[in-house]
């Protein structure tokens, strides 16, 4: 079967075909414009955090600015609350109502625990997550120290470290400055994209117990936080139970402790690791009272 190729030589047709082609490619370019955050070592977009952001969110925003300076030589300005007027370009850390105007196509309902959203269009970048905290209970007693800035969920903070790792190629190979690896570049830009994620494992902080929030003895707190292991939403403390009961009750309630072969109660192998009399219902009543007191202090 033979096919014929027809050539149209009409100048009007050629003109309209050319105009349609130009229009098509201009449209593609408009839809695919890169968001430029840093250009030739000059910051083009400030970091905007939501007003009254909790302390760990503010700290993460500061780290983001510092790492952008390490990468490009330009440290973006940090603005708290909605700027007036709105900047032409910005990095929005955490949710605030202005994002509904700037990203009308995005869904900012975070339905899953610790869910994060990182998205860019041609003008703005948003790094946000599900944040939950109670302003009346942001200080809590940890395992060995008082914890400040406590939240139930730290979605935005974990989103910032995800952005640094997955989009700015920062790697924290081991704790300390020698473990930081990054790629220097004078220009930081992104084509439009949208990324959502929520962790399947919500209890992660016990992986490195000595670097958990309540333990001051660890020397890897920054590293564990940046790996998104420290700020989780399901707190399951592990370790030895009843370690302080010897000092609390050895005189007032010796019946709480296991009966020893010599007829005494408690003290074996030592008061910190003492064996308890688990058959005594009063022991469990005391344990329940302790839990109630803990929940009252830190719901």
């Amino acid at each position: 079967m033979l096919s014929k190729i027809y050539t149209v030589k009409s100048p009007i047709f050629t003109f309209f075909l050319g105009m349609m082609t130009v229009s098509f490619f201009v449209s593609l370019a408009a839809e695919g414009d890169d968001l430029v955050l840093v250009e030739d070592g000059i910051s083009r977009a400030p970091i905007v955090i939501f007003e009254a952001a909790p302390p760990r969110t503010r700290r993460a925003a500061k780290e983001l600015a510092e790492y952008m300076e390490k990468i490009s030589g330009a440290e973006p300005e940090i603005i708290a609350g909605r700027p007036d007027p709105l900047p032409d370009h910005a990095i929005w850390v955490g949710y605030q109502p202005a994002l509904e105007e700037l990203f009308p196509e995005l869904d900012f309902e975070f339905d899953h625990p610790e869910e994060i959203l990182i998205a860019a269009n041609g003008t703005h970048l948003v790094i946000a997550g599900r944040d939950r905290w109670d302003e009346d209970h942001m200080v809590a007693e940890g395992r060995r120290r008082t914890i400040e800035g406590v939240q139930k969920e730290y979605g935005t903070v974990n989103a910032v470290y995800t952005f640094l790792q997955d989009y700015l190629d920062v790697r924290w190979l081991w704790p300390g400055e020698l473990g930081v690896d990054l790629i220097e570049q004078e220009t930081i830009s992104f084509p439009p994209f949208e990324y959502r994620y929520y962790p399947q494992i919500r209890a992660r902080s016990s992986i490195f117990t000595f670097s958990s929030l309540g333990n001051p003895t660890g020397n890897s707190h920054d590293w564990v936080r940046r790996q998104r292991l420290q700020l989780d939403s399901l707190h399951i403390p592990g370790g030895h139970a009843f370690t302080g009961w010897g000092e609390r009750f050895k005189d007032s309630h010796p019946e709480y402790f296991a009966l020893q072969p010599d007829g005494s109660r408690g003290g074996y192998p030592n008061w910190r690791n003492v064996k308890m009399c688990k058959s005594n219902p009063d022991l469990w009543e005391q344990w329940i009272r302790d839990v109630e007191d803990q929940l009252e202090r830190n719901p």
Side-chain angles (χ1 to χ4, degrees), residues 212-230:
S212 61
L213 288 178
N215 197 322
T217 60
N219 59 2
S220 305
H221 282 261
D222 290 343
W223 184 82
V224 172
R225 184 179 67 257
R226 291 162 182 163
Q227 305 299 329
R228 282 133 291 167
L229 295 173
Q230 186 182 65

Side-chain angles (χ1 to χ4, degrees), residues 67 161-174 176-183 223 226-228:
Y67 273 105
Y161 296 121
T162 298
F163 175 76
L164 283 169
Q165 176 177 287
D166 293 352
Y167 292 91
L168 294 186
D169 295 320
V170 180
R171 296 292 183 270
W172 302 282
L173 304 177
W174 57 80
E177 285 299 315
L178 287 177
V180 179
D181 181 72
L182 51 82
I183 302 171
W223 184 82
R226 291 162 182 163
Q227 305 299 329
R228 282 133 291 167

Side-chain angles (χ1 to χ4, degrees), residues 32 44 53 60 62 100 112 124 133 151 167 180 188 209 212 220 230 237 245 250 252 258-259 261 278 280 285 288 291:
R44 299 298 187 191
K62 188 173 185 298
E100 304 284 354
H112 303 282
H124 293 274
W133 74 91
Q151 296 178 219
Y167 292 91
V180 179
I188 300 175
T209 304
S212 61
S220 305
Q230 186 182 65
W245 284 51
K250 63 182 179 181
S252 58
L259 184 65
K278 298 178 182 178
N280 184 349
E285 290 294 332
I288 289 292
V291 171

Side-chain angles (χ1 to χ4, degrees), residues 11-161:
I12 297 178
F13 177 84
T14 303
F15 171 78
F16 278 109
L17 179 62
M19 291 299 293
M20 290 172 62
T21 303
V22 170
S23 175
F24 173 75
F25 283 108
V26 168
S27 175
L28 273 183
E31 292 180 3
D33 282 349
D34 284 1
L35 168 62
V36 179
L37 303 179
V38 178
E39 186 174 20
D40 296 329
I42 299 174
S43 177
R44 299 298 187 191
I47 295 174
V48 183
I49 61 175
F50 56 96
E51 193 170 358
R56 297 185 190 279
T57 300
R58 295 197 299 269
R59 178 178 180 176
K62 188 173 185 298
E63 283 190 74
L64 173 60
E66 291 171 348
Y67 273 105
M68 290 184 67
E69 182 182 27
K70 291 178 181 179
I71 292 169
S72 67
E75 182 174 3
E77 176 189 7
I78 298 178
I79 302 172
R82 175 183 173 132
D84 187 17
L86 291 177
D88 293 333
H89 309 284
I91 304 167
W92 300 82
V93 174
Y95 172 79
Q96 55 181 293
L99 293 171
E100 304 284 354
E101 307 170 29
L102 303 173
F103 294 88
E105 75 285 358
L106 288 186
D107 178 8
F108 289 100
E109 294 294 331
F110 297 104
D111 297 324
H112 303 282
E114 300 188 60
E115 183 176 353
I116 68 172
L117 166 65
I118 305 173
N121 54 27
T123 53
H124 293 274
L125 169 71
V126 58
I127 306 172
R130 196 166 99 163
D131 297 316
R132 298 285 188 272
W133 74 91
D134 182 344
E135 292 183 357
D136 295 328
H137 295 92
M138 296 192 72
V139 177
E141 293 300 321
R143 182 189 297 269
R144 296 182 182 177
R145 71 171 175 182
T146 300
I147 310 172
E148 298 183 355
V150 174
Q151 296 178 219
K152 299 176 183 178
E153 293 184 43
Y154 304 83
T156 294
V157 178
N158 288 325
V160 168
Y161 296 121

